[in-house]
Amino acid sequence: MTIQTIINNAVKRLKEEGKLLTPDFYVEAFCKEATKANMNVEDCKHLNRYQEMLNKDLQKDLKNYRINTTHEFVRFLISKINRTNPTMCSDTLEAQTLLNKRVLQVIEVLHNKEASELARKTIDLLENAPKPDQIDSFRQRWVNFITTYDDTFLHKLKYFGDLDSKDLKKTIEGLKEIEYSIETNSCDLEKISQYIVASLVPSIASSVNEQIADLSDRIRSNASIINDSSIESEIKSAIALRIALDKKSVRDMVEALDGVLDKLSGRLIDMIEKSDNSNTEIQKIKHELESYNERTDKNFKLAHNKLFTIALALEKNTAVLSKDLKSHNEDVMLMTRKIKSLELELEEARKEAQEDFLTKIYNRRALDQFLDLKEGEYERYERNFSIVLFDLDHFKNINDSYGHEAGDAVLVAFGKILRKECRNVDIVGRFGGEEFIAILGDTDVNGGVVFANKVREHIKRAKFMYKGSRIEVTVSAGVAERNMHLSLKDLLAATDKLLYHAKANGRDRVEFK
């Protein structure tokens, strides 16, 4: 069918319907004939395009009113416009915008840096005729702020007064005088310095090394030097020297004790020998007494003299032995007490030698011993185990941005997370710097990956706060199991390589093989 045929049919339709040949009636009739003929005419689609521009409520009204022509569509819109009050709408919108600006100005003067900055940027946005997508973007930023906001930093104020997190002014006014806080901190620093000096004094050795004495005098004269990071190595060296002095004193005491025991053994053997001789003499006296008769009192007198002599000898030797035993017993008791005290100190020193001084989990020396132990179990009993090597992402940036104290706080928190997530039979420790390791007994690589992801997700959920600032922390990990490698050395090298791949592939991930 051609356009001319549709035109003729449209004119014929108007005549049949008794309508005048006006532009509006003609357009309506033409579009109906074109639709009937399945001909796609672009001019007949204007109404559909206009309808798609309206919201769903207006589209529903158009359908209910059976709007079929552009003329009817225009009349419908005019009636809608006439029923609205443009003055009221504009006034309401302006009032809401002004209210939002005033609320944002209030937030801007509050004592939260992040909220104030976001409020200032939002005010700038509202003053520059924002687009809907810009307004929605800033709405999402406010949702993110209120979702992640953490006010636990206010809990530090509870040590100085009553805390009311809903009324900061009341809390601040109720705080104790700052002079008292400074004085308390000064006293605490003085007490800590006294404890450090006391820990440097040998508990067993009678003399103090010159190096220890010099360090103790410096700390006594100026307690604030313990805040200096450079003094840490000196204190560690002095404590190690103090332990060495105590060990030497114990060795000297043990040698002295051995000498006392040798002398005591000699005296006891001597008494036994004398006792045997005395028994022989007593036996002779017994025989002489049995052969005693009234006619010879000479034998009785001889026996009496011999008995008296033996009794004196026994009494003398027994008294000497008793005195020696009492004296040596006191020495032995004193030495026993010192040895027990030293054993306790040696046990504490052993624990310190296996514990990382910062995170309080196993250090590299202890981890090497546990790895050798696990390797022995594998070679003898074929007990498989897995290793997870962790590394905190961008840790140097944390130290550079927030300071080494913040970095230390993150390391301590990560050590606690490792202890919390691992089993009682697992071994976790600090392998060096920001690297940590977990040794998972009777665990294949799949179990190691599950553990590594648990730790990684825990780190992402955790809120690392330092002096009011939140520190974003993520961790990467490499996982490998012993069964898949020829030796422990190969296992460690493979785990380190997997960790490197995790770093290279974007961090905050677990690589395994």
Side-chain angles (χ1 to χ4, degrees), residues 476-487:
S476 301
V479 185
E481 66 175 294
R482 179 64 181 87
N483 275 343
M484 304 299 294
H485 298 86
L486 296 176
S487 65

Side-chain angles (χ1 to χ4, degrees), residues 15-60:
K15 290 180 180 181
E16 292 176 352
E17 293 178 354
K19 295 181 180 179
L20 297 176
L21 188 58
T22 62
D24 291 336
F25 286 153
Y26 174 75
V27 169
E28 180 182 357
F30 178 85
C31 290
K32 287 181 179 179
E33 289 296 327
T35 302
K36 182 178 178 181
N38 293 323
M39 181 172 287
N40 189 7
V41 180
E42 189 67 25
D43 290 340
C44 294
K45 296 182 178 180
H46 292 318
L47 181 61
N48 291 333
R49 287 199 297 269
Y50 294 151
Q51 289 178 349
E52 292 174 354
M53 296 179 183
L54 301 177
N55 60 40
K56 292 183 178 180
D57 292 336
L58 290 177
Q59 290 181 14
K60 184 177 180 181

Side-chain angles (χ1 to χ4, degrees), residues 438-457:
I439 306 172
L440 312 178
D442 299 316
T443 304
D444 59 11
V445 68
N446 294 327
V449 171
V450 171
F451 172 78
N453 279 317
K454 284 175 59 180
V455 174
R456 186 179 63 83
E457 292 296 334

Side-chain angles (χ1 to χ4, degrees), residues 335-347:
M335 194 67 65
T336 301
R337 288 194 295 269
K338 289 185 177 181
I339 290 175
K340 287 183 178 180
S341 176
L342 182 60
E343 287 176 346
L344 293 176
E345 290 194 17
L346 289 176
E347 179 64 20

